[in-house]
Coordinates of all heavy atoms in Angstrom, one line a residue:
P1 N 17.8 58.9 -33.7 CA 17.8 57.7 -32.7 C 19.1 57.7 -31.9 O 20.2 58.1 -32.3 CB 17.7 56.5 -33.6 CG 18.3 57.0 -34.9 CD 18.0 58.4 -35.0
S2 N 18.9 57.2 -30.6 CA 20.1 56.9 -29.8 C 20.8 55.7 -30.3 O 20.3 55.0 -31.3 CB 19.6 56.6 -28.4 OG 18.9 55.4 -28.3
H3 N 21.9 55.3 -29.7 CA 22.7 54.2 -30.1 C 21.8 52.9 -30.2 O 21.9 52.2 -31.2 CB 23.9 54.0 -29.2 CG 24.7 52.8 -29.5 ND1 25.5 52.7 -30.6 CD2 24.8 51.6 -28.9 CE1 26.1 51.5 -30.7 NE2 25.7 50.8 -29.6
F4 N 21.0 52.7 -29.2 CA 20.2 51.5 -29.1 C 18.9 51.6 -30.0 O 18.5 50.6 -30.5 CB 19.8 51.1 -27.7 CG 21.0 50.7 -26.9 CD1 21.6 51.5 -25.9 CD2 21.6 49.4 -27.1 CE1 22.7 51.1 -25.2 CE2 22.7 49.0 -26.4 CZ 23.2 49.8 -25.4
D5 N 18.4 52.8 -30.2 CA 17.2 53.0 -31.0 C 17.6 52.7 -32.5 O 16.7 52.4 -33.3 CB 16.7 54.4 -30.9 CG 16.0 54.7 -29.6 OD1 15.5 53.7 -29.0 OD2 15.8 55.8 -29.2
K6 N 18.8 52.9 -32.9 CA 19.2 52.6 -34.3 C 19.0 51.1 -34.6 O 18.9 50.8 -35.8 CB 20.7 52.9 -34.5 CG 21.0 54.4 -34.5 CD 22.4 54.7 -34.6 CE 22.7 56.2 -34.6 NZ 24.1 56.5 -34.7
M7 N 18.9 50.3 -33.6 CA 18.7 48.8 -33.9 C 17.2 48.5 -34.0 O 16.9 47.3 -34.3 CB 19.3 48.0 -32.8 CG 20.8 48.2 -32.8 SD 21.5 47.2 -31.4 CE 22.4 48.5 -30.5
K8 N 16.3 49.4 -33.8 CA 14.9 49.1 -33.8 C 14.3 49.4 -35.2 O 14.2 50.5 -35.6 CB 14.2 50.0 -32.7 CG 14.6 49.7 -31.3 CD 13.9 50.6 -30.3 CE 14.4 50.3 -28.9 NZ 13.8 51.2 -28.0
V9 N 13.9 48.3 -35.8 CA 13.4 48.3 -37.2 C 12.1 49.1 -37.2 O 11.8 49.9 -38.1 CB 13.2 46.9 -37.7 CG1 12.5 47.0 -39.1 CG2 14.5 46.2 -37.8
G10 N 11.3 49.0 -36.1 CA 10.0 49.7 -36.1 C 10.1 51.2 -36.2 O 9.3 51.9 -36.9
L11 N 11.2 51.8 -35.6 CA 11.4 53.2 -35.7 C 11.7 53.6 -37.2 O 11.2 54.6 -37.7 CB 12.5 53.7 -34.8 CG 12.2 53.7 -33.3 CD1 13.4 54.1 -32.5 CD2 11.0 54.6 -33.0
A12 N 12.5 52.8 -37.9 CA 12.8 53.1 -39.3 C 11.6 53.0 -40.1 O 11.4 53.8 -41.0 CB 13.9 52.2 -39.8
L13 N 10.8 52.0 -39.8 CA 9.5 51.8 -40.6 C 8.6 52.9 -40.4 O 7.8 53.2 -41.3 CB 8.8 50.5 -40.2 CG 9.6 49.2 -40.6 CD1 8.8 48.0 -40.1 CD2 9.8 49.1 -42.1
N14 N 8.6 53.6 -39.3 CA 7.8 54.8 -39.1 C 8.2 55.9 -40.0 O 7.4 56.8 -40.3 CB 7.8 55.2 -37.6 CG 7.1 54.2 -36.7 OD1 6.3 53.4 -37.2 ND2 7.4 54.2 -35.4
V15 N 9.5 56.0 -40.3 CA 10.0 57.1 -41.2 C 9.8 56.7 -42.6 O 9.2 57.4 -43.4 CB 11.5 57.4 -40.9 CG1 12.0 58.4 -41.9 CG2 11.7 57.9 -39.5
F16 N 10.2 55.5 -43.0 CA 10.1 55.0 -44.4 C 8.7 54.4 -44.6 O 8.6 53.2 -44.7 CB 11.2 54.0 -44.7 CG 12.6 54.6 -44.7 CD1 13.4 54.5 -43.5 CD2 13.1 55.3 -45.7 CE1 14.7 55.1 -43.5 CE2 14.3 55.9 -45.7 CZ 15.1 55.8 -44.6
S17 N 7.7 55.2 -44.6 CA 6.3 54.7 -44.7 C 5.5 55.6 -45.6 O 5.8 56.7 -45.9 CB 5.7 54.7 -43.3 OG 5.5 56.0 -42.9
K18 N 4.4 55.0 -46.1 CA 3.4 55.7 -46.9 C 2.8 56.9 -46.1 O 2.5 57.9 -46.7 CB 2.3 54.7 -47.4 CG 2.8 53.8 -48.4 CD 1.7 52.8 -48.8 CE 2.2 51.7 -49.7 NZ 2.9 50.7 -49.0
A19 N 2.7 56.7 -44.8 CA 2.1 57.7 -44.0 C 3.0 58.9 -43.9 O 2.5 60.1 -44.1 CB 1.8 57.2 -42.6
T20 N 4.3 58.7 -43.8 CA 5.2 59.9 -43.7 C 5.3 60.5 -45.1 O 5.3 61.8 -45.2 CB 6.6 59.4 -43.3 OG1 6.5 58.7 -42.0 CG2 7.6 60.6 -43.2
S21 N 5.3 59.7 -46.1 CA 5.2 60.3 -47.5 C 4.0 61.1 -47.7 O 4.1 62.2 -48.3 CB 5.3 59.1 -48.5 OG 5.2 59.6 -49.8
A22 N 2.8 60.6 -47.3 CA 1.6 61.4 -47.4 C 1.6 62.6 -46.6 O 1.1 63.7 -47.1 CB 0.4 60.5 -47.0
G23 N 2.2 62.6 -45.5 CA 2.4 63.8 -44.6 C 3.2 64.9 -45.3 O 2.9 66.0 -45.3
L24 N 4.3 64.4 -46.0 CA 5.1 65.4 -46.7 C 4.4 66.0 -47.9 O 4.5 67.2 -48.2 CB 6.4 64.7 -47.2 CG 7.4 64.3 -46.1 CD1 8.6 63.6 -46.7 CD2 7.8 65.5 -45.3
K25 N 3.6 65.2 -48.6 CA 2.8 65.7 -49.7 C 1.8 66.7 -49.2 O 1.5 67.7 -49.9 CB 2.1 64.5 -50.4 CG 3.0 63.6 -51.2 CD 2.3 62.5 -51.8 CE 3.3 61.5 -52.5 NZ 2.6 60.3 -53.0
Y26 N 1.2 66.4 -48.1 CA 0.2 67.4 -47.4 C 0.9 68.7 -47.2 O 0.4 69.8 -47.4 CB -0.3 66.8 -46.1 CG -1.1 67.8 -45.4 CD1 -2.5 68.0 -45.6 CD2 -0.5 68.5 -44.3 CE1 -3.2 69.0 -44.9 CE2 -1.3 69.5 -43.6 CZ -2.6 69.7 -43.9 OH -3.3 70.6 -43.2
M27 N 2.1 68.6 -46.6 CA 2.9 69.8 -46.3 C 3.1 70.7 -47.5 O 3.1 71.9 -47.5 CB 4.2 69.4 -45.7 CG 4.1 68.7 -44.3 SD 3.6 69.8 -43.0 CE 5.1 70.7 -42.7
V28 N 3.4 70.0 -48.7 CA 3.6 70.8 -49.9 C 2.3 71.4 -50.4 O 2.3 72.5 -50.8 CB 4.3 69.8 -51.0 CG1 4.3 70.5 -52.4 CG2 5.7 69.4 -50.6
Q29 N 1.3 70.6 -50.4 CA 0.0 71.0 -51.0 C -0.8 72.0 -50.2 O -1.4 72.9 -50.7 CB -0.9 69.8 -51.3 CG -0.3 68.9 -52.4 CD -1.0 67.5 -52.5 OE1 -1.8 67.2 -51.7 NE2 -0.6 66.7 -53.4
Q30 N -0.8 71.8 -48.9 CA -1.6 72.6 -48.0 C -0.9 73.6 -47.2 O -1.4 74.6 -46.7 CB -2.4 71.7 -47.0 CG -3.3 70.7 -47.8 CD -4.4 71.3 -48.6 OE1 -4.9 72.3 -48.3 NE2 -4.6 70.7 -49.8
E31 N 0.4 73.4 -46.9 CA 1.2 74.3 -46.1 C 2.3 75.0 -46.8 O 3.2 75.6 -46.1 CB 1.8 73.5 -44.9 CG 0.7 72.7 -44.0 CD -0.3 73.7 -43.4 OE1 0.2 74.8 -43.0 OE2 -1.4 73.3 -43.2
N32 N 2.3 75.0 -48.1 CA 3.2 75.8 -49.0 C 4.7 75.5 -48.7 O 5.5 76.4 -48.7 CB 2.9 77.3 -48.8 CG 1.5 77.6 -49.3 OD1 1.1 77.1 -50.4 ND2 0.8 78.5 -48.6
R33 N 5.0 74.2 -48.4 CA 6.4 73.9 -48.3 C 7.0 73.7 -49.6 O 6.3 73.5 -50.6 CB 6.5 72.6 -47.4 CG 6.1 72.7 -46.0 CD 6.7 73.9 -45.3 NE 6.7 73.8 -43.8 CZ 5.7 74.2 -43.0 NH1 4.6 74.7 -43.5 NH2 5.8 74.0 -41.7
P34 N 8.3 73.6 -49.7 CA 9.0 73.5 -51.0 C 8.7 72.2 -51.8 O 8.5 71.2 -51.2 CB 10.5 73.5 -50.6 CG 10.6 74.1 -49.3 CD 9.3 73.8 -48.6
L35 N 8.6 72.3 -53.1 CA 8.4 71.2 -53.9 C 9.4 70.1 -53.7 O 9.1 68.9 -54.0 CB 8.3 71.6 -55.4 CG 7.0 72.3 -55.8 CD1 7.2 72.7 -57.3 CD2 5.8 71.4 -55.6
S36 N 10.6 70.4 -53.3 CA 11.7 69.5 -53.1 C 11.3 68.4 -52.1 O 11.8 67.3 -52.0 CB 13.0 70.1 -52.7 OG 12.8 70.8 -51.5
Y37 N 10.3 68.7 -51.2 CA 9.8 67.8 -50.2 C 9.2 66.5 -50.9 O 9.2 65.4 -50.4 CB 8.7 68.4 -49.3 CG 9.2 69.3 -48.2 CD1 10.4 70.0 -48.3 CD2 8.5 69.4 -47.1 CE1 10.8 70.8 -47.3 CE2 8.9 70.3 -46.0 CZ 10.0 70.9 -46.1 OH 10.5 71.8 -45.1
L38 N 8.7 66.7 -52.1 CA 8.1 65.6 -52.9 C 9.1 64.6 -53.3 O 8.8 63.4 -53.4 CB 7.4 66.2 -54.1 CG 6.2 67.1 -53.8 CD1 5.6 67.6 -55.1 CD2 5.1 66.4 -53.0
T39 N 10.4 65.0 -53.4 CA 11.4 64.0 -53.8 C 11.7 63.1 -52.5 O 11.8 61.8 -52.7 CB 12.8 64.7 -54.2 OG1 12.5 65.5 -55.3 CG2 13.8 63.7 -54.5
T40 N 11.7 63.7 -51.4 CA 11.8 62.9 -50.1 C 10.6 62.0 -50.0 O 10.8 60.8 -49.6 CB 12.0 63.8 -48.9 OG1 13.2 64.5 -49.1 CG2 12.2 63.0 -47.6
A41 N 9.4 62.5 -50.3 CA 8.2 61.7 -50.2 C 8.3 60.5 -51.1 O 7.9 59.4 -50.7 CB 7.0 62.5 -50.4
W42 N 8.7 60.7 -52.3 CA 8.8 59.7 -53.3 C 9.8 58.6 -52.8 O 9.5 57.4 -52.9 CB 9.3 60.2 -54.7 CG 9.7 59.2 -55.7 CD1 8.8 58.6 -56.5 CD2 10.9 58.6 -55.9 NE1 9.5 57.6 -57.3 CE2 10.8 57.7 -56.9 CE3 12.2 58.8 -55.4 CZ2 11.8 56.9 -57.4 CZ3 13.3 58.1 -55.9 CH2 13.1 57.1 -56.9
F43 N 11.0 59.0 -52.3 CA 12.0 58.1 -51.9 C 11.4 57.2 -50.7 O 11.6 56.0 -50.7 CB 13.2 58.8 -51.4 CG 14.3 57.9 -51.0 CD1 15.1 57.2 -51.9 CD2 14.6 57.7 -49.6 CE1 16.1 56.4 -51.5 CE2 15.6 56.9 -49.2 CZ 16.4 56.2 -50.2
L44 N 10.7 57.8 -49.8 CA 10.1 57.1 -48.6 C 9.2 56.0 -49.2 O 9.1 54.9 -48.6 CB 9.4 58.0 -47.7 CG 10.3 59.1 -47.0 CD1 9.5 60.0 -46.1 CD2 11.4 58.4 -46.2
E45 N 8.4 56.4 -50.2 CA 7.4 55.4 -50.7 C 8.1 54.2 -51.4 O 7.7 53.1 -51.3 CB 6.5 56.1 -51.8 CG 5.4 56.8 -51.2 CD 4.5 57.4 -52.3 OE1 4.5 56.9 -53.5 OE2 3.8 58.4 -52.0

């Protein structure tokens, strides 16, 4: 985010979301990404 984008809660909510977590789980299960991605997915949830 830019300086002003850092103040927008909506942008943070787009990152810290179930959807982003699910996307990371998909990347691990279907796209052979590292299992460590699941820790980030857990934290976002």
Side-chain angles (χ1 to χ4, degrees):
S2 69
H3 177 70
F4 292 105
D5 286 341
K6 289 179 182 179
M7 296 179 239
K8 297 179 180 175
V9 175
L11 288 177
L13 292 178
N14 290 339
V15 174
F16 294 98
S17 69
K18 289 178 187 75
T20 305
S21 177
L24 292 177
K25 289 176 184 177
Y26 171 84
M27 296 287 285
V28 170
Q29 294 167 356
Q30 302 298 321
E31 301 298 326
N32 298 318
R33 294 310 200 272
L35 285 176
S36 62
Y37 281 28
L38 296 176
T39 302
T40 300
W42 172 85
F43 183 78
L44 297 177
E45 279 184 24

